[in-house]
Amino acid sequence: MSGSLFEDASQKLEKALKYSAMSEDAIERLKYPKSSVNVSIPVRMDDGSLKVFQGYRVRYDDTRGPTKGGIRYYPTVSMDEVQSLAFWMTFKCAALGLPFGGAKGGITLNPKELSKFELERLSRSYIDALADFIGPDLDIPAPDVYTNPMIMGWMMDQYSMIHRRITPAVVTGKPISMGGSLGRDAATAMGAFNVMEALLPKFNIVRSNTTVAVQGFGNAGANIAEMLFQAGYKVVALGDSQGAIYSKDGLDVPSVRQFKESTRRVKAVYCEGSVCNLVDHEEISNEALLELDVDILIPAALENQITEANAADIKAKFIFEVANGPVNFAGDEILNQKGIHVFPDILVNAGGVTVSYFEWVQNRMGFYWTLDEVNSRLKQKMVEESERIWTLSQEKEISLRTAAYVHALNRLGEAVSARGTKAYFIERV
Ligand code: NAD
């Protein structure tokens, strides 16, 4: 793989541009991020020393509204990665018709090496550095890899202290008791499940015969694996950063999850009450999980998992991108040639930002919805936009990924044109 993640991400957009009627002005605007901030975050460590971490926040485009996007804590976080994730958020919000632009943030670190006290000081210090760049009408962060509701709560708290006003709408994915929305924790997976249930019947898929492998067993991965298991799909492989497990007869996902919660390890177990026993399985690598002969593969960990290096060896018939950017441009081309159906990240994992939007709306109204209300509004949105993207892909004979980008581009183009186009200004002169 060559070039930066952002160059790779831009190629997917280039491919879609020829199918959209976007003006040159709009295309020019979308080539560059609106603003990128690089901050140094000083943290007093538990041993008394001072350590300075590098943090980032990129607001890619705000043509359609305040920018929105998660914050990632991970050792490989870089400006290139954050900019690419902000770019994807722009298209995701537009594809779903949410009144937001795209942003993303991150800090380069391994959060597993910090104590809870250090994590709190780091999270608050990050907001000290960014307090002038975020806000409910400006830029609204949310959780991403290795960040969680408690971290979002600290961030909201810190912003509120700086501005001397309780401001729940500045961050989403907060604990419920601090203004979080019911259903936000499982929203990314629930949205992906809605997309699967809307689009898989077009391929005559019968749940009980359908095998699934899921890479990543965190918020998104564990929830989607469990939803599919409960719906009757056969989940045969699961994996996290430590490795993966495979059982051709299927895994009992709630048991695996219960075991992981108490031991932090993914093991093939069957639990009755609090007693868990190992069941027949194979331990495999994360790379081997991706290449299993399954019906559905769900990458739900990190970007660039399927590239030109392994795409030819992928055997799944359907790939649902729950992670952001798990398939790079060259990998995508190979999968297309092989006839593998790839359901793109900007649609599949958009349930997270959709319920984040609901959380922001509820915070601003000061009126909170029931879980049923949240889930039924989410389902309506996911199914509606899935159908639109599906129809576009059929009409134009393009991949679902290209169709999702075209759909987003059309909405972005409209918002740019609403402010005047070259043709409009020239006609008036
Ligand atoms: P998480 O931190 O809850 O979980 C990440 C999982 O990935 C963990 O199980 C971890 O062990 C695993 N992992 C880490 N490195 C790995 C590696 N090298 N190989 C295999 N597995 C590895 O994060 P999450 O919120 O579930 O996010 C996962 C993906 O979903 C990311 O791409 C994220 O951007 C995307 N996403 C998340 C949300 C959300 O609301 N949380 C929304 C949209 C998209």
Side-chain angles (χ1 to χ4, degrees):
M1 218 183 62
S2 60
S4 72
L5 185 60
F6 183 67
E7 280 167 26
D8 196 88
S10 303
Q11 282 180 281
K12 292 175 185 163
L13 171 64
E14 289 285 330
K15 199 171 164 185
L17 280 173
K18 55 176 177 286
Y19 299 99
S20 108
M22 208 173 195
S23 69
E24 278 171 31
D25 303 8
I27 295 171
E28 190 60 17
R29 263 179 102 129
L30 286 173
K31 281 188 188 158
Y32 312 97
K34 182 177 173 71
S35 65
S36 310
V37 189
N38 186 346
V39 291
S40 293
I41 312 165
V43 178
R44 181 68 59 197
M45 306 301 279
D46 291 346
D47 67 2
S49 65
L50 187 82
K51 205 165 167 183
V52 180
F53 295 87
Q54 288 307 300
Y56 313 88
R57 186 77 189 166
V58 174
R59 299 180 64 220
Y60 198 86
D61 182 81
D62 66 352
T63 311
R64 301 187 74 257
T67 50
K68 185 94 195 72
I71 294 171
R72 176 175 291 194
Y73 288 179
Y74 205 72
T76 53
V77 164
S78 64
M79 188 56 104
D80 175 43
E81 183 183 63
V82 172
Q83 180 170 317
S84 308
L85 288 160
F87 168 90
W88 285 318
M89 282 305 296
T90 303
F91 292 96
K92 195 182 301 181
C93 292
L96 268 285
L98 307 177
F100 287 135
K104 206 81 182 191
I107 306 179
T108 314
L109 87 156
N110 182 353
K112 293 178 187 170
E113 289 170 359
L114 268 67
S115 74
K116 291 180 175 132
F117 290 116
E118 289 166 344
L119 263 185
E120 180 181 4
R121 289 194 286 269
L122 171 91
S123 305
R124 290 184 183 276
S125 189
Y126 178 66
I127 294 303
D128 288 342
L130 284 179
D132 294 328
F133 302 97
I134 60 172
D137 295 310
L138 184 62
D139 179 27
I140 307 125
D144 191 74
V145 174
Y146 293 159
T147 53
N148 58 29
M150 183 175 268
I151 293 175
M152 296 305 114
W154 292 331
M155 290 184 170
M156 188 279 270
D157 236 12
Q158 192 66 14
Y159 180 89
S160 297
M161 276 197 272
I162 294 167
H163 290 271
R164 302 184 69 79
R165 265 169 193 69
I166 305 298
T167 318
V170 68
V171 176
T172 59
K174 302 178 291 293
I176 306 295
S177 57
M178 294 177 74
S181 174
L182 292 169
R184 176 61 185 87
D185 50 352
T188 302
M190 184 64 87
F193 183 76
N194 291 331
V195 175
M196 294 175 82
E197 292 283 284
L199 298 184
L200 279 173
K202 304 192 189 291
F203 300 89
N204 296 323
I205 293 295
V206 181
R207 290 168 177 181
S208 57
N209 298 332
T210 304
T211 53
V212 185
V214 182
Q215 183 203 39
F217 204 61
N219 174 299
N223 278 311
I224 188 68
E226 187 157 348
M227 284 172 199
L228 292 173
F229 172 85
Q230 301 294 5
Y233 291 82
K234 196 197 270 189
V235 179
V236 293
L238 295 168
D240 69 359
S241 59
Q242 320 273 320
I245 51 174
Y246 170 74
S247 164
K248 69 173 177 17
D249 299 325
L251 295 156
D252 186 77
V253 182
S255 294
V256 178
R257 210 170 168 189
Q258 179 183 329
F259 191 78
K260 162 122 187 179
E261 270 158 24
S262 55
T263 63
R264 305 180 70 85
R265 298 190 66 82
V266 169
K267 282 263 173 224
V269 289
Y270 179 71
C271 306
E272 276 187 17
S274 58
V275 181
C276 299
N277 291 309
L278 273 183
V279 295
D280 242 11
H281 73 284
E282 283 172 52
E283 290 196 359
I284 59 173
S285 66
N286 256 308
E287 293 73 34
L289 178 146
L290 296 172
E291 295 171 13
L292 285 172
D293 189 0
V294 287
D295 297 308
I296 299 175
L297 174 64
I298 303 189
L302 296 168
E303 53 271 3
N304 279 340
Q305 299 302 299
I306 300 174
T307 67
E308 58 275 34
N310 61 353
D313 299 318
I314 302 296
K315 297 171 198 73
K317 299 179 189 68
F318 304 95
I319 298 179
F320 284 84
E321 293 185 325
V322 166
N324 281 304
V327 178
N328 79 348
F329 184 75
D332 207 29
E333 297 286 293
I334 298 169
L335 297 177
N336 276 335
Q337 281 158 19
K338 288 180 59 149
I340 297 175
H341 300 279
V342 182
F343 297 76
D345 47 5
I346 62 169
L347 169 66
V348 173
N349 70 28
V353 68
T354 302
V355 176
S356 272
Y357 164 53
F358 296 163
E359 181 173 331
W360 179 80
V361 168
Q362 293 170 78
N363 291 153
R364 295 176 74 113
M365 287 193 300
F367 180 71
Y368 289 83
W369 307 344
T370 64
L371 182 59
D372 280 351
E373 281 172 306
V374 171
N375 282 340
S376 78
R377 285 183 164 116
L378 172 65
K379 184 173 177 185
Q380 189 188 348
K381 197 98 194 109
M382 298 305 300
V383 171
E384 219 169 74
E385 301 300 343
S386 296
E387 290 291 351
R388 286 191 174 134
I389 291 168
W390 172 262
T391 305
L392 199 59
S393 86
Q394 298 293 301
E395 279 171 9
K396 296 200 183 277
E397 296 180 2
I398 51 180
S399 70
L400 281 165
R401 185 187 312 283
T402 302
Y405 274 96
V406 173
H407 185 49
L409 279 168
N410 291 344
R411 284 192 174 134
L412 279 157
E414 251 177 62
V416 175
S417 302
R419 289 154 164 108
T421 58
K422 186 174 164 189
Y424 169 81
F425 286 112
I426 287 177
E427 275 164 26
R428 299 263 302 196
V429 171

